[in-house]
């Protein structure tokens, strides 16, 4: 009987409990404008019951418990809580704008700070921007979106390297910034862009907390994680597209080529090679032969959510990209899998972990340099057919007029065999223990481990006496195993004393990187076939040592401290100090100290400012100064290794061996950057306009200068020996950054966002103490001096050659000018006239001078976004002004094809003052001069996209909260006067990077995509 009573009581309480479950509806609007907000997250606290607002700001939350608390959250707005009652069935909420996310948290390394109180030059790229741009590699999302950051590619080949430069080129060595992924040092090029929550760029002394690795700037990567108290959210994104060449250079047709060649031979006093040009027609356009439309496919899926104690996120992605040159011989594929987990182990102990697994594979063709596929496509005569009567590839004649390095590019592609695969696992695991409300102890272990394997097959083949002929087949295989890990332990103390706020951070970091690699070559591959290209099968005896290897083990031990202080929330101060000791540096300079300080003043919070209701709503002045380091130098650079060549006599027999290589320098140390910055942050007109401006000076001292002259007694002239590398150079970058954004939502559901940023940079080398006063780099033509230099008083990597002054129009002008015979031949009418710089009456090497710089005077980005009802449109553009580039993709031989600008050549007095005559006789027209240096300024429409989101109410039964389709074009068009394929490309070298050997063009890509959220 008692049990029956208990059952009745239980049923009554259950029925009462179920009866209390209710539905609640309402709207969410912006308080300042009264406009509805789409996508606001409404969650019932501690239950996981969630819903989002529709396009009209409406929502319906089913099955909530009266008396519970509803949480309304939306990016850029203050989170608001609402306590329900038993009789409520509808609620209208007004959210307050947080002044464009001034109160959002910005990651600054080993901690974070409200955006309002950031005192350094810090820029953030959100996941929304990344999702709009849909970059193949995440670095591309920084181009045009962040002031002071310039992104260049080696070319448009699938998987090509990307160079990121923050505030210019500062060193003759490595200029790439270091990436910190969720707290550990990593490589962002292998990440799936869809996994990124934000990119935070530290450009000034704010990065000093990272000591010896911060001189080139720091990119902090925050990956996506799940949200507490939310149901599982499934997101699927897919896009497919077709790539095509964005540019085809105007080369001569067969008829034009034959007529020009006849003229050239006639001017050289030789018989005509084409007595009859009729019937030649257009001939072969070799670029159209090698360019082909190529597909690109990208999709990813993620699942995220969480309970009161746990948050999780799981994702996977696939990218497949074929090359517009080479078909199956050129391609890139990336597959990633990622898991992120956060958990409250106890009320005081929190766990967070993240792991990413990546598999990348890539096939490449020769795409940049003398003899590249594009180089050949531009230089092979259009009179030649791709195939002979038997269907075989034609051979380019090995004549003096065509040289020995120009071959049929189709045959070159066909006989290219290589593949490379990279497998990488990286991630971290961290613990936070809260001793009190004021003190938290954090520890994190980050790791990267990767294995790369490559194989290249050289097929035995003859191209008719060319340098590409392979007399003996071979296969080269490689394996690299590279690892690093970091252990960070630091404590954070936060305390408020009246109107004084103090945050102190003290910690230590242990970083270790180690690895090894092996390269081996086997000869005489069975059946001369890629199918049998394996060292185990290639048993031919080598004629030279076929093996090579490397091994390294470097470590860094660091201690760091930072104090952040503010008074009344408007007077801001931060001071940092880091001590690093590293095995990369010489024993006399293992330890370095890197101090910095930043400060800010929120002027708009002062009483005299009159509040934030006027035209100016927010004004902050800030400044910073600090010393940072760059440890990206070669491993073991301060010691001498047995990598020199030597021969020894044993028993009257000459025996090859090894000898000491470079002369050691125990005083070698890191490069040091002294960074100064002053800036302001300004918001106006009800926070609709946001302005950020900075003036900076970055002085990089103690650059690593190689080949320092030493006494011959030390034996630096021996084979394999070299002079030491010392710290003996200085480069200064100074400039201004300015960014302005405008955003407004109009009453007709139209939202407009405009963004513009510009960076002006002046680069100057102030010291090169290597005995000669300059460092050379790059190459031009065949057998000519290096065209680029690093020299005091000039921009780093400037072009050093002859300045021209038009074309000689007649013999009288030739006779009146200084002799040019020292350049290779005496001038004649129709030849280029060079300037006698030193005024000694003769043109020779002493007259070489500054003829251009690859460094842009200004870079800028302009971005537009429109949202109207269910439609959205975006456009991103980037511009570079004042950068020069060397045209070096044309072979200076008599019988090669030409670009059609030669049709404007000099043919007699008054016919041209810019393009010289054509001739087979010797001239000095091909020496490196400003004739080959072009203005490479450009404006590029990087991305346009039009999307349509279907009203989610149509899919409410299916549980779909977002269904968006879009179409877009990447790299739509580039406006430039530069004659080559890509005025923005670079091989990444600080000295010689602005030389175009035939850069693989960045493809124009047409995309169709789908975004679905459940």
């Amino acid at each position: 009987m008692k049990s029956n009573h208990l059952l009745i009581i239980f049923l009554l309480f259950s029925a009462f409990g179920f009866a209390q479950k209710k539905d609640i509806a309402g709207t969410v609007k912006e308080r300042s404008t009264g406009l509805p907000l789409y996508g606001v997250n409404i969650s019932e606290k501690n239950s996981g019951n969630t819903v989002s607002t529709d396009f009209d700001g409406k929502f319906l939350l089913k099955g909530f418990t009266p008396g519970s608390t509803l949480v309304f959250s939306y990016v850029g707005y203050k989170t608001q809580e609402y306590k329900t009652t038993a009789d409520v069935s509808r609620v209208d909420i007004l959210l307050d704008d947080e002044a464009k996310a001034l109160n959002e948290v910005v990651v600054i390394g080993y901690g974070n700070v409200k955006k309002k109180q950031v005192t350094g030059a810090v820029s953030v790229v959100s996941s929304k921007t990344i999702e709009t741009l849909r970059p193949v590699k995440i670095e591309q999302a920084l181009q045009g979106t962040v002031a002071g950051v310039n992104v260049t590619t080696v070319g448009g080949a699938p998987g090509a390297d990307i160079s990121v430069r923050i505030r210019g080129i500062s060193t003759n060595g490595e200029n790439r910034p270091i990436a910190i992924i969720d707290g550990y040092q990593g490589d962002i090029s292998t990440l799936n862009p869809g996994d990124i929550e934000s990119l935070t760029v530290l450009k000034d002394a704010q990065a000093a907390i990272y000591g010896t690795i911060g001189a080139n700037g720091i990119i902090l990567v925050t990956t996506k994680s799940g949200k507490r108290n939310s149901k599982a959210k499934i997101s699927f994104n897919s896009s497919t597209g077709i790539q095509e060449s964005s540019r085809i250079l105007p080369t001569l047709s067969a008829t034009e080529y034959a007529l020009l060649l006849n003229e050239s031979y006639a001017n050289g006093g030789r018989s005509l090679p084409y007595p009859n040009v009729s019937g030649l027609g257009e001939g072969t356009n070799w670029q159209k032969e090698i360019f082909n439309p190529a597909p690109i496919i990208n999709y990813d899926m993620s699942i995220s959510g969480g309970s009161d104690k746990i948050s999780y996120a799981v994702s996977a992605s696939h990218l497949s990209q074929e090359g517009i040159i080479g078909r199956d011989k050129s391609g890139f594929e990336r597959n990633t899998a990622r898991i992120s987990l956060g958990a409250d182990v106890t009320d005081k102990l929190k766990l967070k972990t993240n792991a990413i697994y990546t598999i990348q594979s890539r096939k490449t063709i020769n795409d940049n340099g003398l003899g590249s596929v594009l180089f050949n496509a531009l230089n092979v005569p259009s009179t030649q057919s791709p195939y002979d009567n038997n269907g075989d590839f034609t051979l380019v004649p090995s004549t003096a007029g065509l040289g020995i390095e120009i071959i049929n590019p189709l045959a070159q592609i066909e006989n290219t065999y290589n593949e490379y695969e990279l497998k990488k696992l990286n991630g971290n695991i961290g613990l936070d223990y809260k001793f009190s409300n004021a003190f938290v102890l954090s520890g994190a272990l980050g790791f990267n481990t990767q294995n790369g394997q490559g194989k290249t097959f050289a097929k035995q083949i003859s191209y008719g006496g060319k340098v590409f002929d392979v007399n003996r087949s071979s296969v080269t295989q490689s394996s690299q195993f590279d690892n690093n890990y970091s252990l960070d332990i630091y404590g954070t103390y936060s305390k408020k004393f009246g109107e004084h706020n103090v945050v102190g951070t003290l910690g230590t970091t242990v970083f270790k990187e180690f690895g090894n690699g092996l390269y081996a070559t086997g000869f005489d591959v069975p059946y001369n076939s890629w199918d049998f290209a394996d060292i185990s099968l290639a048993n031919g005896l080598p004629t030279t040592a076929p093996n090579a290897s490397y091994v390294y083990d470097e470590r860094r031990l660091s201690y760091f401290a930072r104090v952040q202080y503010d008074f009344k929330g408007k007077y801001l101060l931060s001071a940092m100090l880091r001590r690093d000791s590293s095995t990369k540096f010489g024993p006399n300079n293992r330890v370095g100290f890197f101090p910095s300080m930043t400060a800010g003043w929120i002027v708009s919070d002062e009483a005299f400012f009159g509040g934030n209701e006027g035209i100016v709503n927010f004004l902050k002045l800030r400044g910073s100064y600090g010393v940072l380091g760059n440890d990206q130098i070669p491993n073991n650079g301060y010691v001498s290794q047995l990598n020199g060549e030597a021969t020894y006599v044993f028993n009257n027999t000459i025996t090859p061996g090894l000898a000491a290589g470079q002369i050691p320098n125990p005083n070698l140390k890191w490069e040091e950057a002294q960074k100064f910055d002053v800036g302001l942050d300004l918001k106006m007109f009800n926070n609709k306009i946001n302005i950020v401006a900075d003036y900076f000076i970055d002085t990089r001292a103690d650059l690593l200068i190689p080949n320092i002259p030493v006494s011959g007694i030390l034996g630096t002239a021996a084979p394999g020996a070299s002079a030491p590398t010392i710290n003996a150079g200085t480069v200064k970058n100074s400039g201004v950054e300015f960014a302005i954004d405008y955003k407004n939502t109009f009453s007709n559901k139209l939202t407009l966002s405009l963004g513009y940023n510009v960076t002006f940079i002046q680069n100057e080398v102030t010291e090169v103490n290597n005995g000669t006063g300059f460092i050379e780099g790059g190459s031009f033509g065949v057998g000519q001096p290096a065209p680029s230099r690093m020299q005091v008083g000039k921009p780093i990597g400037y072009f050093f050659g002859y300045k021209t002054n038009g074309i000689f129009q007649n013999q009288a002008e030739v006779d009146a000018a200084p002799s040019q015979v020292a350049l290779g031949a005496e001038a004649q009418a129709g030849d280029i006239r060079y300037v006698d710089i030193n005024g000694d009456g003769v043109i020779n090497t002493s007259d070489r001078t500054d003829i251009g710089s690859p460094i842009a005077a200004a870079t800028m980005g302009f971005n537009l976004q429109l949202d109207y009802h269910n439609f959205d449109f975006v456009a991103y553009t980037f511009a570079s002004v004042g950068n020069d580039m060397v045209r070096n993709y044309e072979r200076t031989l008599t019988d090669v094809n030409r670009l059609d600008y030669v049709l404007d050549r000099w043919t007699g007095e008054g016919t041209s003052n810019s393009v010289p005559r054509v001739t087979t006789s010797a001239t000095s027209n091909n020496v490196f001069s400003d004739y080959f240096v072009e203005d490479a300024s450009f404006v590029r429409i990087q991305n346009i996209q039009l999307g349509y989101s279907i009203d989610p109410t149509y899919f409410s039964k299916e549980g779909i909260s977002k269904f968006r389709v879009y179409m877009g074009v990447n790299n739509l068009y580039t406006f430039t006067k530069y004659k080559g394929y890509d005025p923005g490309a670079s091989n990444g070298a600080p000295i010689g990077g602005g030389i175009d050997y035939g850069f693989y063009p960045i493809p124009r890509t047409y995309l169709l995509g789908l975004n679905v959220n459940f």
Side-chain angles (χ1 to χ4, degrees):
M1 185 68 182
K2 184 176 180 181
S3 61
N4 289 337
H5 288 162
L6 291 175
L7 177 61
I8 292 171
I9 294 172
F10 173 76
L11 291 174
L12 286 173
F13 273 105
S14 299
F16 178 76
F18 282 112
Q20 293 301 304
K21 293 292 184 180
K22 298 181 61 177
D23 298 343
I24 186 171
T27 61
V28 182
K29 297 181 180 181
E30 185 180 39
R31 185 183 297 276
S32 60
T33 63
L35 295 175
L37 294 173
Y38 165 66
V40 177
N41 185 70
I42 302 104
S43 63
E44 185 180 6
K45 211 169 188 179
N46 300 325
S47 76
N49 193 7
T50 63
V51 71
S52 298
T53 58
D54 62 17
F55 283 95
D56 296 318
K58 298 178 181 179
F59 70 92
L60 175 61
L61 182 65
K62 296 181 178 181
F64 85 99
T65 303
S68 63
T69 300
L70 302 183
V71 180
F72 296 80
S73 60
Y74 193 56
V75 175
Y77 292 80
K78 294 180 180 179
T79 298
Q80 188 170 326
E81 295 187 354
Y82 179 84
K83 181 75 171 179
T84 63
T85 59
D87 59 346
V88 68
S89 61
R90 179 176 177 81
V91 61
D92 295 316
I93 299 295
L94 297 176
L95 292 186
D96 294 312
D97 188 354
E98 284 192 330
K100 286 194 176 178
L102 275 177
N103 290 321
E104 286 183 3
V105 171
V106 176
V107 180
I108 56 172
Y110 302 106
N112 49 58
V113 66
K114 287 184 178 180
K115 189 174 183 180
K116 180 179 181 179
Q117 296 182 326
V118 171
T119 51
V122 178
S123 297
V124 180
V125 178
S126 68
S127 60
K128 184 177 180 181
T129 300
I130 297 171
E131 291 169 3
T132 299
L133 290 171
R134 303 294 295 175
V136 174
K137 289 190 174 184
I138 189 61
E139 301 98 308
Q140 295 167 313
L142 297 170
Q143 184 75 307
T145 60
V146 178
V149 177
N150 192 19
V151 180
T152 59
T153 61
V154 174
D161 289 338
I162 296 177
S163 296
V164 179
R165 302 288 183 263
I166 297 177
R167 291 184 168 178
I169 299 174
S170 299
T171 171
N172 59 311
E174 183 56 72
N175 283 269
R176 287 180 296 183
I178 292 293
I180 305 296
I181 305 171
D182 293 328
Y184 63 94
Q185 186 173 326
D187 178 12
I188 63 176
S189 67
T190 61
L191 298 180
N192 167 34
D195 288 333
I196 308 303
E197 181 65 32
S198 67
L199 299 173
T200 303
V201 183
L202 308 182
K203 297 181 280 189
D204 67 343
Q206 188 77 59
I209 194 72
Y210 291 102
T212 56
I213 63 175
N216 294 331
I218 297 291
I219 300 176
L220 301 176
V221 182
T222 302
T223 59
K224 293 179 179 178
S225 59
K227 294 183 179 179
R228 302 288 180 95
N229 298 313
S230 63
K231 291 182 178 179
K233 176 184 176 182
I234 302 174
S235 177
F236 176 76
N237 302 289
S238 176
S239 66
T240 182
I242 293 295
Q243 308 166 97
E244 66 177 18
S245 175
S246 57
R247 198 170 195 186
I248 292 181
L249 305 190
T251 52
L252 300 179
S253 68
T255 301
E256 291 170 334
Y257 167 81
L259 290 172
L260 187 80
L261 205 62
N262 283 344
E263 181 181 325
S264 176
Y265 272 61
N267 288 340
R270 301 170 61 183
S271 59
L272 303 185
Y274 291 94
N276 182 11
V277 300
S278 62
L280 291 176
E282 291 295 319
T284 303
N285 188 318
W286 288 96
Q287 294 173 88
K288 292 182 179 179
E289 292 290 333
I290 66 169
F291 284 127
N292 298 281
I296 180 171
I297 299 171
N298 191 1
Y299 54 83
D300 61 74
M301 188 174 76
S302 63
I303 304 174
S304 63
S307 64
D308 186 42
K309 298 290 186 180
I310 296 176
S311 65
Y312 63 89
V314 181
S315 66
S317 72
H318 171 76
L319 168 73
S320 177
Q321 180 185 16
E322 290 189 9
I324 58 174
I325 302 176
R327 296 183 182 271
D328 61 336
K329 296 298 182 75
S330 173
F332 176 68
E333 186 173 295
R334 181 184 64 221
N335 296 282
T336 68
R338 174 180 169 268
I339 183 169
S340 174
L341 178 67
D344 291 348
V345 182
T346 67
D347 291 339
K348 293 182 176 292
L349 182 63
K350 297 181 183 296
L351 167 71
K352 50 188 177 182
T353 184
N354 183 45
I356 305 171
Y357 182 66
T358 303
I359 300 178
Q360 286 186 178
S361 59
R362 189 183 182 204
K363 295 180 179 180
T364 60
I365 59 172
N366 188 338
D367 60 4
N368 184 28
L370 187 69
S372 69
V373 171
L374 276 173
F375 177 91
N376 287 317
L378 292 174
N379 287 281
V380 175
S382 52
T383 54
Q384 182 166 338
S385 299
Y387 307 95
D388 60 23
N389 294 332
N390 297 322
D392 298 323
F393 294 112
T394 56
L395 298 178
V396 177
S398 182
T399 62
L402 287 172
I404 59 172
E405 70 276 350
I406 298 174
I407 62 174
N408 185 326
L410 294 176
Q412 184 179 16
I413 293 172
E414 178 68 21
N415 295 308
T416 296
Y417 300 90
N418 67 78
E419 62 183 14
Y420 178 77
E421 183 179 74
L422 175 71
K423 297 178 181 179
K424 181 170 185 176
L425 177 65
N426 60 290
N428 70 333
I429 181 169
L431 293 170
D432 294 332
Y433 188 82
K434 188 175 183 179
F435 283 90
S436 66
N437 291 331
F439 181 70
V440 177
L441 181 64
S442 302
L445 176 66
F447 60 90
N448 291 272
T449 179
Q450 67 180 39
N451 174 250
Q453 293 182 331
K455 181 165 67 174
T456 301
F457 169 55
K459 184 178 182 178
Q460 182 180 354
I461 192 170
S462 173
Y463 293 100
K466 302 287 185 174
V467 294
F468 292 100
D469 289 354
V470 178
N471 298 321
R472 191 180 184 192
S473 65
S474 65
V475 56
T476 298
Q477 293 178 244
S478 64
S479 180
Q480 304 88 32
F481 187 59
D482 300 296
N483 311 268
N484 68 59
Y485 70 80
S486 59
L487 176 62
D488 296 289
I489 300 175
Y490 59 97
T492 304
Y493 177 82
S494 305
K495 191 69 175 179
K496 185 174 183 178
F497 305 93
E499 294 181 312
H500 303 269
N501 290 299
V502 177
V503 179
T505 304
L506 181 67
T508 182
T509 295
V510 176
F511 180 79
K512 176 183 173 73
E513 58 181 352
F514 57 98
N516 58 76
L518 177 64
Y519 305 82
T521 300
F523 295 90
D524 302 334
V525 175
Y527 305 106
N528 196 31
S529 170
W530 167 253
D531 295 332
F532 297 89
D534 190 271
I535 289 181
S536 63
L537 301 176
N539 298 317
L541 295 177
T543 56
T544 59
N547 303 325
S549 65
Y550 70 84
V551 63
Y552 64 96
D553 185 348
E554 303 289 351
R555 284 143 288 152
R556 184 171 64 240
L557 175 63
S558 308
Y559 302 96
F560 57 88
R562 177 174 61 207
V563 176
Q564 297 164 263
Y565 166 80
D566 74 79
F567 177 61
K568 294 184 177 181
K570 58 185 176 181
Y571 306 111
L572 315 171
L573 183 66
S574 176
M576 290 164 276
L577 177 65
R578 176 152 174 150
R579 176 193 183 274
D580 282 326
S581 58
S582 173
T583 58
K584 274 200 170 187
F585 310 127
N588 298 335
N589 291 293
R590 284 280 164 82
V591 177
F593 292 88
F594 302 93
S596 71
M597 180 175 290
T598 66
W601 175 29
I602 302 178
V603 183
S604 53
D605 282 356
E606 296 289 355
F608 66 78
F609 198 82
N612 60 359
E613 301 300 325
I615 294 177
V616 177
N617 311 116
F618 177 78
L619 174 62
K620 177 177 65 179
L621 303 178
R622 50 184 169 75
S624 65
Y625 180 80
V627 178
L628 300 87
N630 181 18
D631 75 339
Q632 298 184 64
I633 63 175
N635 296 321
N636 305 312
Y638 65 90
V639 299
S640 181
Q641 303 181 73
L642 290 175
N643 54 7
E645 301 176 17
T647 55
Y648 302 90
V649 178
F650 294 104
N651 298 324
N652 296 320
T653 301
I654 297 179
T655 304
L658 298 176
Q662 71 172 7
I663 295 176
N665 176 17
N667 296 316
L668 197 67
K669 68 174 185 175
W670 60 89
E671 298 172 352
E672 185 176 274
Q674 301 163 9
K675 292 181 180 284
F676 168 79
D677 183 281
V678 290
L680 66 84
D681 301 330
L682 177 68
K683 293 180 181 295
M684 305 172 63
F685 302 107
N686 295 322
N687 300 309
K688 292 183 176 67
I689 294 179
N690 178 36
I691 295 174
V692 178
D694 286 88
Y695 171 74
F696 62 88
I697 301 175
D698 183 352
T699 302
R700 184 71 61 86
D702 295 324
L703 299 190
L704 299 169
I705 306 298
N707 301 320
I708 304 300
V710 295
S711 168
I713 298 176
L714 297 177
T716 57
S722 62
T725 297
I726 68 172
N727 299 98
T730 305
V731 173
K732 177 182 177 182
N733 278 302
S734 59
V736 174
E737 294 174 0
F738 178 81
I740 181 170
D741 298 288
Y742 170 81
K743 183 177 183 180
N744 191 24
T745 300
F746 301 92
S747 58
N748 59 356
K749 296 186 179 180
L750 172 65
T751 298
L752 171 65
S753 298
L754 297 172
Y756 173 77
N757 64 78
V758 61
T759 304
F760 300 94
I761 290 183
Q762 182 177 1
N763 177 282
E764 181 183 2
V765 177
T766 60
E767 181 184 20
V768 182
N769 291 334
N770 66 338
T772 63
F774 61 85
I775 301 174
E776 294 182 321
S779 63
F780 178 81
V782 177
Q784 295 202 41
S788 295
R789 281 191 172 188
M790 174 183 176
Q791 188 171 352
V792 173
K794 301 292 183 180
I796 190 170
Y798 83 100
F799 303 129
F800 186 71
Y802 296 95
K803 188 179 292 293
T804 65
N805 186 22
I807 304 296
F808 288 115
Q809 298 297 316
N810 51 54
Q811 189 59 41
E813 291 183 0
V814 174
D815 295 339
S819 172
Q820 298 181 175
V821 69
L823 304 186
E826 190 58 78
Q828 297 183 29
D831 286 343
I832 295 175
R833 174 168 40 206
Y834 298 101
V835 178
D836 185 8
I837 296 296
N838 61 7
D840 63 356
V842 62
I843 306 296
N844 54 29
T845 56
S846 299
D847 293 301
R848 289 186 296 167
T849 187
D850 180 358
I851 57 174
S853 170
I855 299 177
T859 56
M860 60 194 76
F862 177 74
N863 310 314
L864 164 70
Q865 181 171 344
L866 288 170
D867 295 299
Y868 182 70
H869 288 279
N870 295 1
F871 289 94
D872 60 85
F873 174 80
V874 295
Y876 285 80
T877 63
F878 177 78
S880 179
V881 180
N883 54 299
D884 298 314
M885 185 170 284
V886 175
R887 188 178 73 250
N888 192 33
Y889 47 80
E890 301 168 297
R891 185 70 171 95
T892 54
L893 293 171
T894 58
D895 291 9
V896 298
N897 203 4
R898 308 284 184 186
L899 269 61
D900 66 357
Y901 73 85
V902 299
L903 298 178
D904 296 326
R905 68 202 174 281
W906 186 93
T907 57
E909 188 168 352
T911 55
S912 176
N913 198 39
S914 58
V915 182
R917 66 189 176 110
V918 292
T919 180
T920 59
S921 60
T923 73
S924 59
N925 294 332
N926 294 325
V927 300
F928 181 58
S929 69
D930 58 15
Y931 174 69
F932 298 98
V933 178
E934 297 183 25
D935 179 5
S937 301
F938 68 92
V939 176
R940 173 172 292 155
I941 303 176
Q942 296 191 126
N943 175 282
I944 62 170
Q945 190 180 114
L946 176 65
Y948 179 79
S949 298
I950 298 176
D951 192 328
T953 58
Y954 291 124
F955 300 105
S956 58
K957 293 182 179 180
E958 289 78 14
I960 297 176
S961 59
K962 178 181 180 181
F963 191 97
R964 176 178 178 265
V965 293
Y966 67 89
M967 57 183 179
V969 184
N970 293 340
N971 191 34
L972 176 62
Y973 193 78
T974 300
F975 300 90
T976 183
K977 294 182 179 179
Y978 180 64
K979 296 185 181 71
Y981 287 107
D982 185 2
S986 171
N987 64 12
I991 308 174
I995 302 174
D996 187 351
Y997 304 95
F999 287 117
Y1000 194 124
I1002 299 176
R1004 180 183 297 116
T1005 306
Y1006 301 91
L1007 289 171
L1008 289 175
L1010 173 68
N1011 309 132
V1012 183
N1013 290 347
F1014 297 87

